[in-house]
DNA sequence: TTGTATGCGTTATCAT
DNA sequence: ATGATAACGCATACAA
């Protein structure tokens, strides 16, 4: 049996509401009573029940963090600063998985155990954010966006980032380009591709269909795709990868085939996760500031919790090329 | 205002407890009433309040996952299967950070919002597990252990794993060994070192103090340490690293200095995280089955929740050498 | 089979 | 300044 405020009240010789007042630091309690209550609470190792408090206040100070597979090195880079900011704001992070083969049910996010939800793996046509908005669950999309959704969103300018890579490869003199794009069902995959293609067009550089692959944001997908490209009679001199994890798969493919990076192959990623700077990769990539993204996401979420009626915001983070050692002029 | 079971009851023309019975699938409800209640619930998009339920049942079906930095690639490998098993068992995972500069307070884990806790980053002398046990919070140590603690624990046989590495290096003919051990404040760091040293002694191979470094389980620590070792007049021909992440730091150091792996330097890690098999690393290491660990941890935790009085269990997982391409004979 | 009454542990309103 | 009382949304013992 856990200790309750009643037990503390009994021991301190006061009423239960007085205990509540003292432990909340509410004003209007005599210093002497306060001291008596506090010492009783300490003696009993009393900790107020979060459940009781939640029921009374209708707030749980808990936020759902919906993510796919955390072993994919991209997600911790986003989840970690999110959890950090949330804890700083007095909230706690509940990790909810959302697998393709086992998607979250909206019910589990709308059961009143969460004050809000951050979605990090939303697919373009997903019904989940709409469902949450409909049910009045405060909700912010991080990193991904869904068209026509009246919900707060924070994304990197993926089109611009893609265009920056195209510009880099063009200026390095590459003309035989390869690409491993992300899933078309994700705004990140789609937008990076669109920006890359458009800018390539402006530079008058073709992107041959046989040098284009598409796959999930995983190492293995990048490895397989670039393995194929490197086996072609006329392989590309540079590949743009959907993100850093895919680019690391490209590095793996190159390593397995004895292809030197960047001498024989230029590899460019996207995101600038911490591992991209490891010497084994030295990955040239596009930086999207995920810490800033976490800041914005948490700010918007708290604002929405405070005022559910506020207009939806869309924050766009400027991307920046990070040039390391995985690129070279032809 | 959220929908409550009262609203559903009113709409279905039954009492509130009947709604509760139907939605829990409790027996003894007329099929016709059940249908009426369910259709009312559906019409109102009713979802039972987890908070109300928790208060009534004194169970939250929520487990705290205490971890340090998830961007350290080791932790997701443990956290992900844990969360997976927990969700399969009908529990949800609350992510709680426990930083050296900002440790968790036991109060936050004992506020009744959690049915149990999994500790993954416990240091040898930490008071936290003792405190939790004292307060009756069901609690399991995963991956790390603390001496003299009457709590359920699951660890890899780190001493044996360290010994296996020593045996491997001995059989490859290495006599000038280096090591980057983990913090002595962790059982993993301490035990791997002890097992390695002991077995080395049995093989009659010395471990010179000037070729030993110690640091946290991070890439950067491994990179710095091995960078130093490689700069020595007589560098080691092989290094045993505290874990895979440290070993990847070693790979980075080698890459930065143009030292070839495994031709010029043998690197062996510990854990066999997914990245270890990436071609850029091809890391030879010791496998500790973290999926199995998650199974055992969740099993023990649920057993303790069901029966707080049961004796503490200690499960030890057998390590196994995984030989890839980062080792070589001298 | 169903309804009534009560309790879970807190906060909050209203007296005193 | 403090106590009595009533929610909060559910589950459960008991009555009918």
């Amino acid at each position: 049996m856990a200790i309750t405020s009643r037990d503390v009240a009994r021991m301190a010789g006061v009423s239960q509401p007085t205990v509540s007042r003292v432990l909340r630091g509410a004003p209007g309690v005599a210093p002497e009573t306060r001291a008596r209550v506090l010492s009783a609470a300490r003696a009993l190792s009393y900790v107020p029940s979060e459940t009781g408090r939640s029921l009374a206040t209708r707030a749980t100070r808990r936020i759902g963090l919906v993510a796919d597979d955390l072993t994919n090195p991209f997600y911790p880079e986003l989840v970690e600063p999110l959890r950090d900011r949330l804890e700083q704001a007095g909230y706690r992070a509940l990790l909810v998985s959302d697998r393709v083969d086992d998607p979250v049910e909206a019910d589990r996010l709308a059961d009143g155990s969460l004050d809000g939800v951050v979605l990090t793996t939303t697919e373009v046509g997903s019904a989940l954010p709409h469902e949450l908005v409909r049910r009045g669950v405060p909700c912010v999309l991080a990193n991904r966006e869904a068209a026509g959704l009246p919900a707060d969103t924070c994304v990197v300018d993926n089109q611009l980032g893609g265009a920056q890579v195209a510009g880099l490869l063009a200026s390095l003199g590459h003309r035989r380009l390869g690409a491993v794009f992300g899933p078309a069902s994700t705004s990140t995959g789609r937008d990076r591709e669109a920006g890359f293609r458009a800018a390539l067009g402006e530079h008058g550089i073709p992107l041959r269909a046989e040098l284009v692959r598409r796959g999930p944001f995983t190492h293995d997908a990048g490895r397989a795709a670039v393995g194929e490209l490197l086996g072609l009679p006329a392989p590309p001199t540079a590949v743009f990868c959907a993100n850093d994890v895919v680019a690391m798969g490209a590095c793996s493919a190159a390593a397995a085939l004895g292809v030197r990076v960047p001498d024989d192959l230029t590899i460019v990623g996207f995101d600038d996760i911490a591992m991209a700077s490891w010497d084994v990769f030295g990955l040239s990539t596009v930086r999207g500031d995920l810490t800033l993204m976490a800041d914005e996401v948490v700010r918007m979420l708290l604002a929405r919790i405070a005022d559910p009626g506020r207009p939806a915001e869309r924050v766009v983070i400027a991307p920046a090329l990070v040039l390391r050692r995985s690129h070279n002029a032809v």
Side-chain angles (χ1 to χ4, degrees), chain A:
Chain A
M1 213 56 236
I3 311 296
T4 75
S5 55
R6 286 201 130 74
D7 302 320
V8 178
R10 197 173 311 124
M11 180 165 177
V14 299
S15 73
Q16 179 269 326
T18 296
V19 174
S20 172
R21 280 190 272 259
V22 170
L23 274 100
R24 271 179 305 130
V29 182
E32 194 197 332
T33 337
R34 151 173 258 95
R36 238 186 19 258
V37 168
L38 285 178
S39 90
R42 201 163 328 112
L44 297 172
S45 298
Y46 168 68
V47 183
S49 155
E50 264 300 314
T51 308
R53 176 176 304 183
S54 293
L55 192 57
T57 61
R58 286 110 173 255
T60 63
R61 302 202 73 83
R62 215 177 293 128
I63 300 293
L65 239 49
V66 180
D68 192 334
D69 181 9
L70 287 182
T71 60
N72 183 327
F74 170 75
Y75 289 107
E77 300 262 338
L78 178 55
V79 166
E80 191 63 26
L82 279 171
R83 152 174 98 150
D84 201 60
R85 300 307 188 274
L86 286 173
E87 293 197 350
Q88 275 173 21
Y91 284 81
R92 289 157 70 162
L94 188 90
L95 208 51
V96 182
S97 59
D98 182 31
R99 309 272 170 67
V100 187
D101 57 333
D102 182 23
V104 235
E105 304 148 63
D107 278 4
R108 304 208 50 175
L109 300 174
D111 61 8
S113 65
L114 301 171
D115 288 349
V117 171
V118 177
L119 301 174
T120 70
T121 43
T122 315
E123 304 231 312
V124 170
S126 170
L128 184 61
H130 291 90
E131 188 65 13
L132 292 175
V133 169
R134 188 180 72 74
R135 303 204 196 190
V137 177
C139 148
V140 176
L141 272 70
N143 191 50
R144 302 267 187 92
E145 58 189 325
L149 181 73
D152 302 300
T153 308
C154 183
V155 290
V156 172
D157 190 333
N158 289 300
Q159 295 213 19
L160 178 52
Q164 289 172 339
V165 174
L168 170 67
L169 297 182
S171 73
L172 290 172
H174 291 279
R175 290 303 176 265
R176 187 162 188 83
L177 302 182
V180 186
F181 294 126
S185 59
T186 66
S187 62
T188 35
R190 198 194 49 194
D191 294 351
R192 289 169 192 181
E193 173 175 355
F196 183 69
R197 284 186 184 276
L200 235 42
E202 288 174 14
H203 287 96
I205 300 176
L207 181 59
R208 295 186 173 78
E210 67 266 27
L211 297 186
V212 170
R213 294 294 185 280
R214 195 180 302 281
F217 293 109
T218 63
H219 168 274
D220 291 359
R223 187 192 186 289
V226 174
E228 286 179 22
L229 295 184
L230 291 176
L232 256 30
T237 62
V239 279
F240 171 42
C241 296
N243 77 357
D244 288 349
V245 180
V246 172
M248 288 168 192
C251 293
S252 279
L257 297 170
V259 170
R260 292 168 305 166
V261 177
D263 313 76
D264 303 333
L265 180 69
T266 282
I267 297 176
V268 181
F270 206 113
D271 286 335
D272 192 28
I273 64 179
M275 284 170 47
S277 70
W278 291 7
D279 300 80
V280 273
F281 299 114
L283 196 63
S284 298
T285 184
V286 176
R287 176 160 183 72
D289 191 332
L290 297 184
T291 299
L292 176 56
M293 184 180 288
D295 282 337
E296 294 292 328
V297 165
V298 170
R299 178 186 59 73
M300 289 191 282
L301 187 57
L302 298 187
R304 179 150 309 279
I305 290 170
D307 173 17
R310 74 194 282 273
E313 226 180 307
R314 180 166 176 277
V315 174
V316 177
I317 292 176
L321 278 177
V322 176
L323 302 181
R324 295 203 180 89
R325 302 180 320 279
S326 69
H327 69 281
N328 214 350
V330 274

